[in-house]
Amino acid sequence: MLISQDQVEVYRKEIIGKLGELVRIPSVKESPAAGMPFGLPLATALSWVLGEGARMGFACANVDNYAGHVDFGGGDEIVAVLSHLDVVPVGEGWTYPPFCGEYREGRVYGRGSADNKCSAVAALYSIKLLSDLGVVPRRKIRLIFGTDEENGSSDMPHYFAKMPLPDMAIVPDAGYSITNREKGRLHVRLQAMTPDSAVKLKAGQLVNMVPDLCELTFFAGSPGADPDAGPAAGKVYRGKSWHGAWPKEGVNAAALAMLDMRESGTETHNFLLDFLAAKIGSETDGASLGIACSDSHSGELTLNLGLVDADRPLSKASLDIRYPVTCSSGPILEALSSAAARFGVTIASHSDNPPLFVDEESELVRKLKLAFEKVTGEVARTESMGGRTYASCLQGRGVAFGPGAGEGAHQNDEYVDMDRLMRHLRISTQALYELACAE
């Protein structure tokens, strides 16, 4: 069976409308509320997508508002598609309202349109299409919708403590072709006591975003302060936001501020800022820290200075480090701790997600290649990436596969291109057919 473009095009107008509805839910993580571990907007987004699944006639379940699923078919084995409904904060400088969900000239705009709400909506229409065609899966197809992917994926351990791991899974959160290698992700929080700091510096919204705004304040009487500006004077630095997995593509506003202070000879009297300026600055490979490394499978280590909150009496910063699949976090932490200690800075906490590496000869990868090649006529390939997806939670049972249908993830004016999304719908539906329905 080959899914045709005409078969998927039937749903284009409906998908545009539904994606707009989902994008208009401002599902940024908030403080917990009763029965809503990540806040009301995310509980609303999860309720919306499960409601759509039920409207289509499928069985649905909500697991404590951490995640939920929509099921199609029976069978003891599970083929899953994992999408996330949470989005990163919006930042500044948008042309369109961040949660407008507007359709213009072939694109749907809004935060989360590309990352990752288009995948969630497409997954629903993949099983709807198969159901409308009368296909009966021999393996259960389970669409899993999470709500905390952008902040560490704490939703998945809770969900899988109550639900079985899938036998095979697709995570449409990367692009084509098949991402069977994901770098390890190490988040490190640094701190130092800074009671005599001459400056206050604040930058960043999430550790996995390149900060596009940095506010620097000089305390009254400190070098750099304007004596005519009142009790304190300050500056604002603007950079370019980008996904923290590819930090060299952005412009780090905190690095701009530290470079400016360094070039002007400003005394910060702040151990943490001195360390960040000397050992990181605008670097994104960890070279000055002595942690730079690479391999042929996944490329070089990347480092993003995602959060800085320097003040009196305590200063803090958070790093997002993506390390190659053949490396481990131990030597990286040891070198980082040693370099920081020389400046009076300590590692306050860290979290580590080990690398993912799925065999190219597995049934999952082979059938995804088959589906891609059937639909596109192109040769499927495997690749690695610095980004982390839900595949890392699946104990080697899942890979990232599609859609790569939009632009601007973690940036301003995020959008999804509908032609590319409909292409993804066709490929992903073919993939589910090969994995769950074909003999």
Side-chain angles (χ1 to χ4, degrees), residues 29 38 66 84 86 146-155 390:
K29 184 176 182 178
F38 308 117
Y66 278 81
H84 68 87
D86 59 313
T147 58
D148 191 41
E149 194 269 355
E150 298 290 4
N151 289 276
S153 300
S154 65
D155 49 349
Y390 279 148

Side-chain angles (χ1 to χ4, degrees), residues 60-249:
C60 305
N62 184 330
V63 180
D64 305 325
N65 275 324
Y66 278 81
H69 64 248
V70 175
D71 284 346
F72 172 42
D76 295 330
E77 294 180 292
I78 297 173
V79 173
V81 181
L82 283 77
S83 307
H84 68 87
L85 305 174
D86 59 313
V87 303
V88 298
V90 297
E92 296 184 346
W94 285 70
T95 304
Y96 300 96
F99 295 108
C100 64
E102 290 185 23
Y103 176 70
R104 296 190 182 184
E105 299 180 348
R107 298 173 174 178
V108 175
Y109 285 88
R111 173 61 84 221
S113 55
D115 184 16
N116 184 235
K117 291 181 176 181
C118 68
S119 298
V121 173
L124 286 170
Y125 281 88
S126 282
I127 61 172
K128 178 173 172 54
L129 174 54
L130 290 173
S131 178
D132 289 348
L133 292 173
V135 174
V136 179
R138 62 185 180 87
R139 290 168 167 153
K140 179 182 293 183
I141 299 176
R142 172 163 287 177
L143 311 182
I144 301 172
F145 303 97
T147 58
D148 191 41
E149 194 269 355
E150 298 290 4
N151 289 276
S153 300
S154 65
D155 49 349
M156 288 297 109
H158 184 96
Y159 174 83
F160 286 122
K162 298 190 175 185
M163 296 292 165
L165 279 168
D167 296 277
M168 293 183 286
I170 303 167
V171 182
D173 194 15
Y176 288 110
S177 264
I178 303 156
T179 305
N180 68 327
R181 288 156 283 158
E182 294 184 5
K183 290 180 180 177
R185 180 177 65 191
L186 181 63
H187 284 173
V188 180
R189 188 167 70 85
L190 305 167
Q191 68 178 33
M193 297 304 299
T194 52
D196 301 318
S197 182
V199 300
K200 179 178 180 179
L201 186 151
K202 191 171 182 64
Q205 300 179 78
L206 289 177
V207 67
N208 63 344
M209 292 177 68
V210 177
D212 64 348
L213 181 70
C214 177
E215 296 178 334
L216 174 66
T217 303
F218 297 91
F219 289 111
S222 65
D226 182 351
D228 299 322
K235 298 181 180 180
V236 174
Y237 296 83
R238 298 188 185 277
K240 178 183 177 183
S241 180
W242 206 268
H243 196 299
W246 298 275
K248 67 171 59 176
E249 302 297 329

